[in-house]
Amino acid sequence: MLDLLQQRRSIREFKQLPVETKKIEQLSEALLRAPTSRNLQPCEFIMVDDSEILAALATAKPNGAAFIASAPLAVIIAANPEVSDVWIEDSAIAAIILQLAAEQLGLKSCWAQLRLRPHNKELSASEYVRDLVDLPAGMEVPIVIGIGYPAENIPGHPRESLRDVKIHHNQFSKS
Ligand SMILES: Cc1cc2nc3c(=O)[nH]c(=O)nc-3n(C[C@H](O)[C@H](O)[C@H](O)COP(=O)(O)O)c2cc1C
């Protein structure tokens, strides 16, 4: 896991290669195994490999989602706030579990933040995606993750110098 984390970066350019069905099944299993508060499981996951829907997802917000158009796979993470008051946390945990499972399968990914982001003056990004993929009224769409084989190579961050700045022992200490 640490090897994987040392190399992990967000990737936004993908080869035009599909993600194999077997890997989509493994990613689906990872999503279903993500922990949720009180095991309430408020999330729904939509695995998108249709190029028209991918292109439409890339316009969910004016900036920061365009990379989804080059991804062969996107996972829409939706949640029902009526099922759990901590649906945001549960969604974020599912997203990072998905991203780490993708890394382990040799895939790369990037998060597109939709919660709190507008699509245009009338619609939120979440409402836009909800309508796009026919989710029921009341569902929120906080996150879309774009996934595929990388067409760019970005080295992992050096983080060693942060150890003494960000990690504290028993009490917060300014170093
Ligand atoms: C909560 C969250 C929201 C993010 N939203 C976006 C986004 O909307 N568009 C995007 O291109 N990247 C997005 N990212 C990716 C970050 O920009 C990226 O993780 C950060 O710059 C650090 O780079 P790294 O992942 O390569 O270490 C998001 C990441 C997180 C954790």
Side-chain angles (χ1 to χ4, degrees), residues 8-12 61 63-67 92 96 99 109-114 117 143-144 154-157 159:
R8 186 213 58 80
R9 291 300 305 268
S10 295
I11 292 295
R12 300 177 179 82
K61 59 178 183 173
N63 297 302
F67 70 87
I96 193 63
Q99 291 193 277
S109 68
C110 188
W111 180 308
Q113 174 73 18
L114 300 194
R117 302 289 179 262
I143 306 157
V144 176
I154 309 179
H157 295 286
R159 294 293 203 208

Side-chain angles (χ1 to χ4, degrees), residues 80-108:
N80 187 344
E82 302 275 303
V83 173
S84 173
D85 59 346
V86 291
W87 60 275
I88 298 171
E89 290 85 342
D90 288 344
S91 299
I93 289 167
I96 193 63
I97 293 247
L98 172 70
Q99 291 193 277
L100 294 176
E103 290 279 325
Q104 209 271 325
L105 293 171
L107 298 159
K108 295 283 175 179

